[in-house]
Amino acid sequence: MMSSNYTPIDSQNVTGSVPAAADSSGHVTVKFADTFSKTASGSDDDQQGGWFRTFSIAAYKPYFDVDTSDVVERIIDSLFPFRGSFNEKTADRPDLYGPFWICTSLIFVAASIGTFVTYLSHKLQKKEWDYDINLVTWSAGLFYGYVTIVPVGLYLILKYFSAPSGLVQLFCLYGYSLFVFIPALCLSVIPSQIVRWVIAGVAGFMSATFVALNLRNHIKSAGERWFLIVVGIFLLQLALALVLKLYLFTVTV
Amino acid sequence: MSRNPDSDTIPLHSTSQSDIDEIENLINSQPYPSSVLPARPPSPPRASIPISSSPLPPPAPPLSSSSNSTKPIPVPPAAAKLPPLPPSSNTRSNGTSNVGGSSSIAAAGFGPAPNTLTEPVWDTVKRDLSRIVSNLKLVVFPNPYREDPGKALRDWDLWGPFFFIVFLGLTLSWSASVKKSEVFAVAFALLAAGAVILTLNVLLLGGHIIFFQSLSLLGYCLFPLDVGALICMLKDNVILKVVVVCVTLAWSSWAAYPFMSTAVNPRRKALALYPVFLMYVSVGFLIIAID
């Protein structure tokens, strides 16, 4: 109702002013190729202030721009740790779908397998068994915390050592590296301690090598010394596998 | 102050009797009142808004009203009709002579009729319950030959999902033998957060879905799992539980499949459907495990 009092400026013959070069929509737009910013979301919906964008869906849409075949291909890639080419393949389109849902599936699988294992061992010894709901909450905290905090720490360390990597790329790397634990946990139902230790060791080694080799290739391409960081990351991933094995499969009857 | 021995009334003053006679004449001259007269004398007809089909006569000057004692009587019932009707019909009928009720306003399609604020509570509850039942039938028992497939999507509501989520949490909590409150908390948080995350997932994958519509549909698809949880609570046999949960899980996934798969690009269909399946499987697992 208020706009009826205003006349648009291009229809107004204001004396002494040069009419603005307007296109048909009535406002001047300058288009430039935005190739140097990775997080390019549509500038049309960037109406709000800069920090509001982190709370809008449109800001995260570029990270979910994957098809089913892409996700499956990346998962299969993560099972072959010695190729070391994962980082380069996902450099231009890192996705957050894979890490988030792999983590969530891992939490569910870990909770269910852990519950099933304790249930079996209690029943085999004819003891009372109660469902421990803390398994779900603890494994959620462990996995989500690991995939969120370690890449952020690594990002800061890499920046300090001048071999910067995108944060989302690190999330992507760590998320897909956890995939190998899902089949490992499924196999760990076998009720033999030796088998479980072997499975946990193999899975931990594969996952840690995957992360380490990809990081090594990335840091080498930046020309820095890679040894300490990569070894540290390797050991950290092995520690995760160890914690997983001890927490879920240590059955005290 | 002598008392009349025949009755226990005090003899009246001479002038009082004439007053009493006058009042009695007035009462007897009026027709039998169909409704209880107000305690105070009826006010003269105000400049009231004609709302009935027969417009009232223009406001008479106060002098004539006292002479015509039958006039004020129709006014109070008509004035009493004014409050229940919504103010919008009053303003409307100011301009036009007659509205014929406020039902025409409701036909404009802006949701429930404006006079739902004053309807009995039972009517509101009945309307919400019938909507829940109809949505349930459309979502969970989808009939390929039904006449209006999109009806459940347009008529979404959140009462149904709320009841189903709370019921599932309560059932799981009752079945648990220890840590009952934690079980309820985890179940409720899992279902509520899960529904929100699933909807966000579809939106981020570039799908076209309305946020609350999706929440509503995912909540309704929980109904088979509710039934399964109830059966598992009543009968505590592991094999039976596994069978019942598998059947109800398949039913829930089958009910949710059409809504989720049509919302996204066909190349990303599996990406949108897998999390739904994961959530229902985890709820099913919770039902089996809690004993």
Side-chain angles (χ1 to χ4, degrees):
Chain A
M1 275 191 4
M2 286 198 50
S3 60
S4 57
N5 297 332
Y6 301 137
T7 54
I9 207 161
D10 37 355
S11 70
Q12 210 179 31
N13 282 334
V14 181
T15 55
S17 70
V18 180
D23 56 353
S24 56
S25 56
H27 59 272
V28 182
T29 56
V30 177
K31 296 199 189 319
F32 59 94
D34 200 7
T35 52
F36 49 82
S37 72
K38 275 211 163 30
T39 65
S41 64
S43 56
D44 310 307
D45 40 346
D46 194 4
Q47 307 280 351
Q48 307 122 332
W51 67 273
F52 277 175
R53 272 191 44 223
T54 47
F55 294 119
S56 73
I57 290 187
Y60 295 102
K61 260 198 184 165
Y63 302 131
F64 281 78
D65 193 17
V66 278
D67 291 338
T68 310
S69 52
D70 292 334
V71 174
V72 170
E73 184 193 318
R74 288 175 188 193
I75 287 178
I76 295 180
D77 243 356
S78 76
L79 293 174
F80 295 102
F82 290 103
R83 286 190 198 160
S85 57
F86 184 83
N87 232 7
E88 296 146 36
K89 281 197 213 167
T90 62
D92 52 347
R93 270 195 324 154
D95 74 310
L96 286 177
Y97 177 92
F100 180 73
W101 287 111
I102 290 177
C103 249
T104 311
S105 315
L106 191 55
I107 290 168
F108 163 66
V109 169
S112 62
I113 301 277
T115 308
F116 186 61
V117 159
T118 53
Y119 171 78
L120 262 186
S121 63
H122 276 83
K123 282 292 183 242
L124 285 177
Q125 305 191 14
K126 305 281 189 279
K127 291 272 184 75
E128 266 295 315
W129 172 79
D130 294 317
Y131 178 66
D132 185 11
I133 196 87
N134 280 327
L135 265 180
V136 177
T137 48
W138 271 104
S139 52
L142 177 69
F143 287 118
Y144 279 138
Y146 187 80
V147 174
T148 342
I149 296 178
V150 172
V152 170
L154 188 60
Y155 173 73
L156 294 172
I157 291 178
L158 283 180
K159 249 195 153 162
Y160 180 69
F161 283 107
S162 62
S165 167
L167 184 59
V168 181
Q169 247 181 305
L170 287 176
F171 280 136
C172 191
L173 181 68
Y174 266 87
Y176 280 103
S177 76
L178 286 184
F179 176 77
V180 73
F181 286 118
I182 295 182
L185 279 174
C186 294
L187 282 177
S188 299
V189 190
I190 304 171
S192 153
Q193 285 291 28
I194 309 276
V195 171
R196 283 178 187 167
W197 274 111
V198 166
I199 292 176
V202 168
F205 180 75
M206 280 176 71
S207 173
T209 321
F210 176 73
V211 177
L213 280 180
N214 273 297
L215 257 181
R216 188 190 77 154
N217 290 342
H218 169 79
I219 299 181
K220 244 187 179 178
S221 68
E224 298 289 327
R225 282 180 24 224
W226 52 268
F227 191 70
L228 276 176
I229 302 177
V230 171
V231 168
I233 294 300
F234 184 85
L235 291 177
L236 202 58
Q237 197 91 352
L238 275 183
L240 175 72
L242 189 70
V243 164
L244 198 60
K245 160 80 182 68
L246 288 176
Y247 177 62
L248 286 177
F249 297 110
T250 306
V251 185
T252 53
V253 181
Chain B
M1 289 229 341
S2 62
R3 282 199 177 259
N4 194 342
D6 295 328
S7 71
D8 52 355
T9 56
I10 304 169
L12 296 169
H13 197 265
S14 58
T15 56
S16 315
Q17 183 57 48
S18 64
D19 287 338
I20 292 175
D21 286 343
E22 192 182 319
I23 294 173
E24 274 187 29
N25 286 340
L26 274 175
I27 292 176
N28 289 336
S29 69
Q30 291 167 3
Y32 188 74
S34 58
S35 59
V36 177
L37 292 175
R40 56 176 173 81
S43 51
R46 297 170 268 177
S48 63
I49 301 151
I51 43 171
S52 54
S53 49
S54 55
L56 291 175
L63 288 174
S64 61
S65 66
S66 54
S67 60
N68 190 357
S69 53
T70 60
K71 236 349 155 157
I73 295 178
V75 175
K81 262 200 275 206
L82 271 176
L85 284 170
S88 55
S89 67
N90 286 344
T91 55
R92 218 169 255 259
S93 50
N94 259 336
T96 64
S97 61
N98 170 19
V99 171
S102 60
S103 57
S104 57
I105 301 174
F110 292 127
N115 55 353
T116 59
L117 199 55
T118 54
E119 67 181 3
V121 174
W122 176 240
D123 277 355
T124 313
V125 172
K126 211 164 54 172
R127 191 177 59 239
D128 283 335
L129 277 178
S130 70
R131 190 190 306 162
I132 291 179
V133 168
S134 89
N135 273 344
L136 192 63
K137 279 199 297 222
L138 288 168
V139 171
V140 178
F141 304 100
N143 173 17
Y145 307 109
R146 63 174 177 262
E147 57 281 345
D148 191 6
K151 189 169 184 306
L153 289 175
R154 284 196 302 269
D155 260 355
W156 60 267
D157 72 309
L158 289 178
W159 276 118
F162 175 71
F163 284 137
F164 294 144
I165 293 182
V166 169
F167 180 75
L168 191 55
L170 283 177
T171 314
L172 287 175
S173 172
W174 273 321
S175 331
S177 37
V178 295
K179 294 188 187 172
K180 286 174 184 271
S181 51
E182 285 181 29
V183 167
F184 179 82
V186 170
F188 189 87
L190 172 71
L191 288 167
V196 172
I197 291 178
L198 284 174
T199 313
L200 282 180
N201 184 46
V202 169
L203 286 173
L204 283 167
L205 282 173
H208 302 290
I209 207 169
I210 302 178
F211 185 74
F212 285 111
Q213 216 177 58
S214 164
L215 286 188
S216 167
L217 287 170
L218 286 170
Y220 275 111
C221 292
L222 270 182
F223 174 74
L225 283 168
D226 271 356
V227 170
L230 191 62
I231 298 176
C232 290
M233 182 176 81
L234 297 172
K235 187 83 179 105
D236 198 11
N237 177 7
V238 177
I239 308 287
L240 174 74
K241 275 193 194 180
V242 171
V243 167
V244 163
V245 165
C246 284
V247 167
T248 52
L249 181 69
W251 185 7
S252 280
S253 311
W254 173 72
Y257 177 83
F259 300 111
M260 281 296 163
S261 63
T262 50
V264 282
N265 189 344
R267 286 185 319 213
R268 302 182 180 186
K269 203 160 65 166
L271 295 185
L273 284 172
Y274 167 72
V276 179
F277 183 66
L278 181 68
M279 184 173 91
Y280 287 149
V281 165
S282 62
V283 171
F285 174 74
L286 215 54
I287 296 176
I288 298 180
I290 304 249
D291 64 343

